[in-house]
Amino acid sequence: MIQAEFLMAEGGAAAGFHITGHAGGEAGTDIVCAAVSSAAYLVANTVTEVMGVKPRELRAEDGDMLLELASGDRQKCRELLLGLRLHLEGLMQQYPDSVRVTGTDI
């Protein structure tokens, strides 16, 4: 199962996300895993390459992606994180056995 946790800082500011696991399908052909990965990379690349934000921590390994924002960048990245959360929640509704989204509302 893919687990997407949205990280929250004190005061309720969106601080990033941590996505782990696999959907359980065959590697390279699993559409759920591809949808989650693509959305997560889109957000991470937009934050770092388009917006020029240097995250506190960024890691992307097999089955594990973490993007944690520094306190000064959280508000300007909020809408991107909200969009990712909405996308992943939609996938969770379609594929409840493959995706779980946790974390406080953004």
Side-chain angles (χ1 to χ4, degrees):
M1 174 174 280
I2 296 171
Q3 297 192 51
E5 177 186 8
F6 283 83
L7 310 173
M8 304 305 287
E10 287 187 33
F17 63 86
H18 188 200
I19 300 173
T20 58
H22 293 282
E26 186 177 329
T29 62
D30 189 311
I31 62 168
V32 177
C33 200
V36 171
S37 295
S38 179
Y41 274 102
L42 173 70
V43 169
N45 287 332
T46 300
V47 166
T48 59
E49 303 302 319
V50 176
M51 297 174 70
V53 170
K54 183 172 172 41
R56 175 178 287 158
E57 187 172 355
L58 177 61
R59 162 175 89 233
E61 301 165 355
D62 183 39
D64 186 359
M65 181 178 230
L66 171 70
L67 172 71
E68 185 178 351
L69 300 167
S71 60
D73 296 317
R74 292 176 183 152
Q75 188 58 39
K76 66 180 157 184
C77 297
R78 182 182 180 277
E79 286 81 14
L80 281 170
L81 293 173
L82 177 58
L84 177 62
R85 183 178 178 98
L86 292 172
H87 180 75
L88 296 180
E89 286 176 342
L91 290 171
M92 182 174 68
Q93 289 176 354
Q94 289 180 301
Y95 305 98
D97 295 332
S98 299
V99 180
R100 188 174 92 184
V101 179
T102 61
T104 308
D105 288 336
I106 295 172

